[in-house]
Amino acid sequence: MKRISILFVCMGNICRSPLAEGIFRHLVAQAGLVGHFTIDSAGTGGWHEGDPPDQRSIATAKSHGVDISGQRARRIRPADFRDFDLILAMDRNNVAALGSVAPPEATIRLFGDAALGTGEDIPDPYYGGPDGFELVYTRLLAGCGSLLEALGVERASCSGNTSSVR
């Protein structure tokens, strides 16, 4: 299997994209495919550069057995468009922001299209409470699982439960 590089992108890289990165890493590890993927996340803005994910994202991930506490926010870099096979933006605003700075050969897709097949935006939970983070987690888990399968990889353990990765 060819090594596949995936970059998850949201606005500040502290809520949605760190969760997506953590979930996808966890699923890849469960499937025993760590050496087959390069996985990272970034933001279209640099306001939180160097900061850990939002505490609510960390808590939500932890409640599902996923540790994202070691991640640090970063802004998208020009090299990312060359280095990643697939760049998945969490919403249409981020797709547009990426498209305005990306070279034509970059593969930028809406997460809701590429991973969920629904065309939906993954809502930004930043201004809400824990329920919003749980909803985002659930959508990201479903999409990351589908994405892994769509890439031709059958997960080693699939419980069918979309609320947890355990």
Side-chain angles (χ1 to χ4, degrees), residues 2 10 39 43 56 78:
K2 174 191 174 284
C10 68
I39 307 159
R56 296 165 295 176

Side-chain angles (χ1 to χ4, degrees), residues 27-88:
L27 294 175
V28 165
Q30 279 188 326
L33 298 166
V34 173
H36 298 282
F37 289 92
T38 298
I39 307 159
D40 201 359
S41 62
T44 55
W47 313 279
H48 302 287
E49 207 152 352
D51 293 344
D54 186 288
Q55 286 301 313
R56 296 165 295 176
S57 285
I58 292 172
T60 300
K62 185 177 181 179
S63 74
H64 293 282
V66 177
D67 182 8
I68 63 169
S69 63
Q71 293 182 29
R72 294 296 174 262
R74 71 174 184 87
R75 188 174 190 168
I76 191 92
R77 300 182 287 249
D80 291 333
F81 297 111
R82 178 193 67 239
D83 295 342
F84 286 90
D85 299 317
L86 180 59
I87 299 173
L88 294 175

Side-chain angles (χ1 to χ4, degrees), residues 120-137:
E120 70 188 84
D121 284 346
I122 300 298
D124 189 347
Y126 185 77
Y127 292 104
D131 289 348
F133 283 82
E134 188 62 37
L135 171 69
V136 165
Y137 181 90

Side-chain angles (χ1 to χ4, degrees), residues 73-148:
R74 71 174 184 87
R75 188 174 190 168
I76 191 92
R77 300 182 287 249
D80 291 333
F81 297 111
R82 178 193 67 239
D83 295 342
F84 286 90
D85 299 317
L86 180 59
I87 299 173
L88 294 175
M90 296 294 125
D91 61 40
R92 285 170 180 76
N93 290 335
N94 287 296
V95 169
L98 291 167
S100 71
V101 296
E105 65 274 7
T107 303
I108 301 165
R109 302 272 315 274
L110 180 68
F111 183 89
D113 282 337
L116 290 167
T118 61
E120 70 188 84
D121 284 346
I122 300 298
D124 189 347
Y126 185 77
Y127 292 104
D131 289 348
F133 283 82
E134 188 62 37
L135 171 69
V136 165
Y137 181 90
T138 299
R139 299 309 297 145
L140 292 173
L141 177 61
C144 286
S146 295
L147 181 63
L148 194 56

